[in-house]
Amino acid sequence: ENSGPLLELRGVRAAYHGITVLHGVDLNVAAGQVVALLGPNGAGKTTVLKVAAGLHPPDAGHLLMGGRDVTGIRPSRLARAGVCLIPEGRGVFPNLSVRDNLLMMTFCGRGRGREEIEETAYGRFPVLAARRGQQAGTLSGGEQQMLALARGLATDPAVLLLDELSMGLAPLVVAELYELVAEIARQGVAVLVVEQFAAAVLKIADHAAVVVRGRIQWQGHPDGSLQAELSSYYLGSP
Ligand code: ATP
């Protein structure tokens, strides 16, 4: 039984077309934990998620899952091992119904079946049950983000990677979504959340890291010293 971090980035360096954008990133996420990765535009937050999902192999450093080195392993294999990325912009199919958006996840990731997917989704997000026949593109932004989360949960994730969940949503909706994320973590999922604006996610985060120009400038418990750190980088002050 491994009691260390479920997801671990060790000295990760990553580049696009020869330009290095991550300069040795160390980050751990344990099962049941919410880790917030914060930082300004272009700091490298999304790239960290892409490395964690296997979509962008690092030039140097290692990706570990449950203590096993999985650096360079195909994204599909990481998905089957329980790594799930919910991208910025949510990735739902606007012309498909809520139900079809869910059912197309059948046997993705760790392979939940149709009935279990619907049961899990509607149990956790009752608003989706009421709208199961509705085209996803006509849902409100918050409902679409719930659908994106539900699609992620359909994969039975061990590691959930969330990119800018709050994008374009009202603060109250964001707070509600993060309560749901906290609940997902309490079930034992390791959650890594990327946000540019920090306030809402810090209410539920167990650990926070600030990335600036591809380097982790600060990490620790989200408390007063983090607020000072964030305002020094001109992020949204919570
Ligand atoms: P944002 O909050 O704006 O999404 P971010 O912190 O998520 O920013 P990344 O998307 O990881 O930042 O980008 C880090 C750097 O890498 C940026 O300078 C960006 O321009 C560059 N970059 C990202 N994706 C690519 C790509 N596919 N090709 C070339 N450069 C890229």
Side-chain angles (χ1 to χ4, degrees):
E1 185 66 21
N2 167 60
S3 58
L6 188 55
L7 176 74
E8 192 173 353
L9 276 74
R10 272 193 208 156
V12 163
R13 203 144 54 76
Y16 296 103
H17 315 295
I19 298 170
T20 301
V21 298
L22 297 179
H23 304 266
V25 166
D26 296 308
L27 201 62
N28 293 338
V29 191
Q33 206 183 28
V34 177
V35 173
L37 180 63
L38 311 169
N41 252 324
K45 304 180 298 294
T46 298
T47 305
V48 167
L49 296 186
K50 287 203 262 184
V51 168
L55 295 169
H56 191 89
D59 290 343
H62 295 273
L63 175 69
L64 294 95
M65 227 190 124
R68 260 188 57 223
D69 195 327
V70 293
T71 319
I73 279 183
R74 281 200 305 281
S76 57
R77 281 192 57 199
L78 280 176
R80 279 199 298 279
V83 178
C84 173
L85 169 66
I86 299 181
E88 191 177 332
R90 296 153 200 158
V92 305
F93 292 86
N95 297 325
L96 296 183
S97 68
V98 166
R99 183 166 185 268
D100 287 345
N101 264 281
L102 290 169
L103 291 184
M104 67 190 291
M105 303 304 285
T106 306
F107 303 122
C108 287
R110 296 200 293 187
R112 277 189 169 143
R114 296 166 68 93
E115 276 170 27
E116 197 189 352
I117 285 176
E118 283 201 281
E119 253 168 52
T120 310
Y122 301 151
R124 207 179 280 272
F125 307 102
V127 69
L128 296 181
R131 300 183 176 279
R132 69 184 84 189
Q134 188 172 327
Q135 277 196 343
T138 64
L139 296 172
S140 73
E143 288 163 354
Q144 284 187 36
Q145 193 58 269
M146 282 183 204
L147 178 56
L149 279 173
R151 279 166 50 85
L153 290 181
T155 69
D156 189 17
V159 173
L160 193 57
L161 309 168
L162 301 174
D163 202 352
E164 303 265 359
L165 188 84
S166 69
M167 180 75 83
L169 301 177
L172 268 175
V173 175
V174 174
E176 187 187 342
L177 282 167
Y178 273 124
E179 274 314 311
L180 295 165
V181 170
E183 177 59 35
I184 290 165
R186 280 195 288 275
Q187 312 284 309
V189 178
V191 183
L192 177 58
V193 183
V194 154
E195 281 285 1
Q196 191 174 343
F197 297 101
V201 66
L202 290 182
K203 292 207 176 70
I204 62 148
D206 302 293
H207 185 85
V210 180
V211 61
V212 181
R213 288 187 294 278
R215 289 191 169 82
I216 304 272
Q217 298 284 354
W218 184 96
Q219 61 178 313
H221 189 74
D223 58 14
S225 64
L226 171 60
Q227 310 297 338
E229 196 69 22
L230 288 175
S231 36
S232 80
Y233 291 112
Y234 300 95
L235 299 181
S237 41

